């Protein structure tokens, strides 16, 4: 009887964790900006704005994208799901998880760091383990390879270390 009770409790805790992991909502870059825009702390928002990630959605309107689309029977790459899944965080997530994210953001903070609804509070953000328990993910090669792969018609060999060096935006006030 005790074993069954412990098993039942363990399953409830496990399922509760799985369910909560699926309910983290995306808050959008403007919410991230509220804390991540100060030069003394690394201006992560400003750094993101300088990257191709912030311009990813706009790149679907480039001549190269339009030429590819025409050649491959895609009417409009800015409305094509197989393009948007990597060029737009908003379009890559389920509608019920979109929260405050905007369709115009391109590849925003939460594509690489996970939906921020549960880890955005300063008291949680100060604790990396607690942030990760609440949905924060750290960018890894595997995270990047979800889009930077051979399914991308403009694929170029992906070097994680070189790519990460271009987009990193550390907080200089944090201890390494």
């Amino acid at each position: 009887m005790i074993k069954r009770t412990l098993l039942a409790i363990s399953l409830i805790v496990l399922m509760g964790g799985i369910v909560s992991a699926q309910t983290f909502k995306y808050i959008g870059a403007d919410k991230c900006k509220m804390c991540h825009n100060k030069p003394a702390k690394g201006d992560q928002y400003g750094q993101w704005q300088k990257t191709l990630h912030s311009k990813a959605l706009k790149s679907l309107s480039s001549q190269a994208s339009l030429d590819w689309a025409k050649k491959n029977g895609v009417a409009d790459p800015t409305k094509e799901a197989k393009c948007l899944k990597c060029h737009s965080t908003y379009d890559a997530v389920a509608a019920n998880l979109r929260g405050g994210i905007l369709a115009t953001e391109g590849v925003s903070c939460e594509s690489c760091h996970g939906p921020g609804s549960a880890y955005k509070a300063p008291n949680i953000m100060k604790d990396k383990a607690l942030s990760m328990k609440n949905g924060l993910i750290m960018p890894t090669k595997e995270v990047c390879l979800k889009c930077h792969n051979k399914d991308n018609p403009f694929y170029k060999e992906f070097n994680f270390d070189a790519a990460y060096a271009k987009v990193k935006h550390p907080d200089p006030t944090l201890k390494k």
Side-chain angles (χ1 to χ4, degrees), residues 1-64:
M1 183 68 173
I2 291 175
K3 286 183 180 179
R4 283 187 193 164
T5 304
L6 287 174
L7 179 61
I9 291 171
S10 297
L11 286 172
I12 290 169
V13 169
L14 176 66
M15 293 307 291
I18 290 169
V19 170
S20 68
Q22 295 172 350
T23 60
F24 296 136
K25 289 191 174 15
Y26 290 74
I27 60 173
D30 282 346
K31 290 278 191 213
C32 300
K33 177 184 177 182
M34 291 171 62
C35 297
H36 295 282
N37 68 343
K38 297 166 182 62
K41 293 188 67 94
D43 187 21
Q44 294 81 11
Y45 181 83
Q47 294 299 319
W48 166 72
Q49 284 190 307
K50 294 174 188 174
T51 69
L52 293 176
H53 283 152
S54 72
K55 298 162 186 64
L57 188 60
K58 290 178 185 164
S59 74
L60 293 177
S61 297
S62 72
Q63 193 59 53

Side-chain angles (χ1 to χ4, degrees), residues 2-174:
I2 291 175
K3 286 183 180 179
R4 283 187 193 164
T5 304
L6 287 174
L7 179 61
I9 291 171
S10 297
L11 286 172
I12 290 169
V13 169
L14 176 66
M15 293 307 291
I18 290 169
V19 170
S20 68
Q22 295 172 350
T23 60
F24 296 136
K25 289 191 174 15
Y26 290 74
I27 60 173
D30 282 346
K31 290 278 191 213
C32 300
K33 177 184 177 182
M34 291 171 62
C35 297
H36 295 282
N37 68 343
K38 297 166 182 62
K41 293 188 67 94
D43 187 21
Q44 294 81 11
Y45 181 83
Q47 294 299 319
W48 166 72
Q49 284 190 307
K50 294 174 188 174
T51 69
L52 293 176
H53 283 152
S54 72
K55 298 162 186 64
L57 188 60
K58 290 178 185 164
S59 74
L60 293 177
S61 297
S62 72
Q63 193 59 53
S65 292
L66 296 172
D67 291 346
W68 177 89
K70 185 176 182 180
K71 193 183 300 184
N72 289 279
V74 173
D76 183 353
T78 67
K79 294 183 171 95
E80 177 62 40
K82 65 184 170 187
C83 300
L84 291 171
K85 72 179 183 176
C86 287
H87 285 259
S88 167
T89 305
Y90 176 90
D91 288 292
V93 302
N96 66 321
L97 299 178
R98 287 183 182 150
I101 196 167
L102 302 175
T104 56
E105 290 182 20
V107 178
S108 68
C109 315
E110 294 165 294
S111 279
C112 304
H113 296 289
S117 64
Y119 69 79
K120 68 180 178 182
N123 63 316
I124 294 174
M125 285 292 291
K126 289 178 184 175
D127 182 334
K128 184 176 179 180
L130 186 56
S131 295
M132 292 181 80
K133 181 179 176 185
N134 284 283
L136 175 70
I137 59 173
M138 300 310 292
T140 62
K141 183 176 182 176
E142 292 71 30
V143 170
C144 298
L145 288 175
K146 289 179 182 175
C147 290
H148 294 277
N149 60 53
K150 292 181 181 176
D151 292 337
N152 177 335
F154 297 98
Y155 176 75
K156 295 176 189 136
E157 191 65 35
F158 183 74
N159 178 315
F160 174 75
D161 293 328
Y164 187 74
K166 289 180 184 178
V167 299
K168 70 181 179 177
H169 45 267
D171 180 340
T173 66
L174 296 177

